[in-house]
Amino acid sequence: MNTFASKLSSSTPGERARALFKVLSDKNLIPEGFIEGITDLMENKWDPANGARVVAKAWTDPEYRALLLRDGTAACEQFGYTGPQGEYIVALEDTPTVKNVIVCSLCSCTNWPVLGLPPEWYKSFEYRARLVREGRTVLKELGTDLPDDITIKVWDTSAETRYLVLPMRPAGTEHLTEEELQKLITKDVLIGVSLPLAV
Amino acid sequence: MDGFHDLGGFQGFGAIDHTINSKSYKPVFKEDWEHLAYSLMFLGAAHLNKFNIDQVRHAVERIGVRQHVGTKYYERYIIATATLLTEAGVITQEELDDALGSHFKLANPNHATGRPAIGDRPAFEVGDTVTVRDEYVSGHTRAPAYVRGKTGVVLHRTTEKWPFPDAIGHGDQTALHQPTYHVEFPVKELWGDAADDGYVIVDLFESYLDKVQA
């Protein structure tokens, strides 16, 4: 290992995080419950189940679908799914000829209240570098092999718009309730790398 | 800033460590310190009011490339927050080093001053053809390099406005508020045949764009 690397790795990320916490804590700059409150939002409240509810409702309620596509923020606000990193929401409509996929090539921007915090792979250098340039190949590698007549549209989250994908409702789901439909919509479906789960 | 963080189109990375729906996203935090990254970032931004989220993004961009490549995602936000709080005079390098028991390496100093938005121009409309201004920015910017000088079509103009990142990312509270535009580019226009087919849509601030006269 060269000296550069060994100098950088003389402490672990966790040790550095706790050191910053300690310095701020020693100065009494962290109010009681502050960390716990935000952590609860991040761990529990912001969840892809929220986005699944939005999509399932859009699949079953044409008026809501129209609202979601016209004003995604208002549609998500009906459920209370707005907030930090989810203040200007746009839903991306998949069609028989278009598949939408979301990335943030510059960092990790994600629609937190609707999709939950981004997973590790979404924040990886690999996904950030490759999706915009070789979307079809990346989707195939991840497990979604799309026919050539489907156009892939990659949305790079480079400003304040926060997206969710509104996938097509799979055939054979006519008999399912809204609650059952929600189970077909995973986090990966909302990001756009996966199609809704088969019934 | 033409930094390592501007990864769109960068070649040489391998497979993405994921197969669709294979991994549980729970627990959200895989290690016991990871929740501190965003919580302490919000503490500095929303509670102590010492910086904004654009400055956090820029501080991450300022992490030295060798260090950046070797860091984990949440680690970079700890480094960025520590850097900004140090620059704001809330804490010191010495206090961080003491608490860590070794050198706490912060991001590189900010050598750029930022730049103002372009005002006094008519807004663009959906359907307009626009070109991303062929300009080089040393400070923070939210125009990925892969669209620099490229031409695309406006699909959407936001109904809200936000402070221009190239100014607010340097703490300039006078930053002009502007709408952003969803601009669609054919992938082949960006990288020729050394790319897949399809489209990329980038969310670009008004000041990054010029209208192409029909």
Side-chain angles (χ1 to χ4, degrees), chain B residues 32-166:
Chain B
D32 63 3
W33 58 272
E34 290 182 342
H35 69 291
L36 290 173
Y38 285 161
S39 341
L40 295 177
M41 174 184 84
F42 278 123
L43 182 86
H47 179 69
L48 300 175
N49 208 18
K50 295 294 178 188
F51 50 79
N52 58 59
I53 300 302
D54 292 270
Q55 286 173 285
V56 174
R57 293 197 183 102
H58 187 44
V60 168
E61 293 161 10
R62 287 193 277 131
I63 294 172
V65 174
R66 285 175 186 272
Q67 187 181 14
H68 195 137
V69 172
T71 47
K72 298 177 174 213
Y73 175 82
Y74 282 125
E75 190 181 347
R76 295 197 285 277
Y77 289 77
I78 292 287
I79 295 167
T81 299
T83 300
L84 290 166
L85 288 173
T86 303
E87 289 171 352
V90 177
I91 59 176
T92 66
Q93 173 83 61
E94 195 182 8
E95 288 165 348
L96 286 167
D97 293 354
D98 283 350
L100 185 61
S102 64
H103 180 58
F104 193 120
K105 187 169 171 51
L106 298 171
N108 289 325
N110 183 10
H111 296 299
T113 50
R115 59 171 190 160
I118 306 167
D120 304 324
R121 286 195 304 178
F124 311 118
E125 302 297 333
V126 169
D128 279 355
T129 300
V130 291
T131 298
V132 182
R133 295 171 67 90
D134 186 14
E135 54 196 8
Y136 293 79
V137 181
S138 295
H140 184 57
T141 189
R142 292 296 285 181
Y146 69 79
V147 293
R148 182 183 291 149
K150 302 290 183 179
T151 299
V153 175
V154 172
L155 302 185
H156 175 81
R157 178 178 71 215
T158 61
T159 54
E160 289 187 34
K161 298 177 178 185
W162 297 276
F164 188 50
D166 303 32

Side-chain angles (χ1 to χ4, degrees), chain A residues 8 16 18 27 47 88 108 128-130 132-134 136-137 142 152-154 156 158 161 186 188 194, chain B residues 5 9 14 18 20-21 26 32 73 75 95 142 146 156 158-159 182 184 194 196-197 199 201 203:
Chain A
L8 293 178
R16 292 196 284 281
R18 281 185 284 270
K27 289 177 183 280
D47 194 280
Y88 189 93
S108 63
R128 287 169 50 192
R130 294 183 58 204
V132 289
R133 184 160 176 167
E134 37 178 345
R136 191 176 295 280
T137 306
L142 290 173
I152 296 170
K153 294 196 174 194
V154 172
D156 195 348
S158 48
T161 309
T186 63
D188 287 5
S194 172
Chain B
H5 70 282
H18 185 57
I20 50 166
N21 303 313
K26 299 249 165 131
D32 63 3
Y73 175 82
E75 190 181 347
E95 288 165 348
R142 292 296 285 181
Y146 69 79
H156 175 81
T158 61
T159 54
H182 300 173
E184 182 175 81
D196 288 353
D197 54 3
Y199 294 85
I201 298 91
D203 191 5

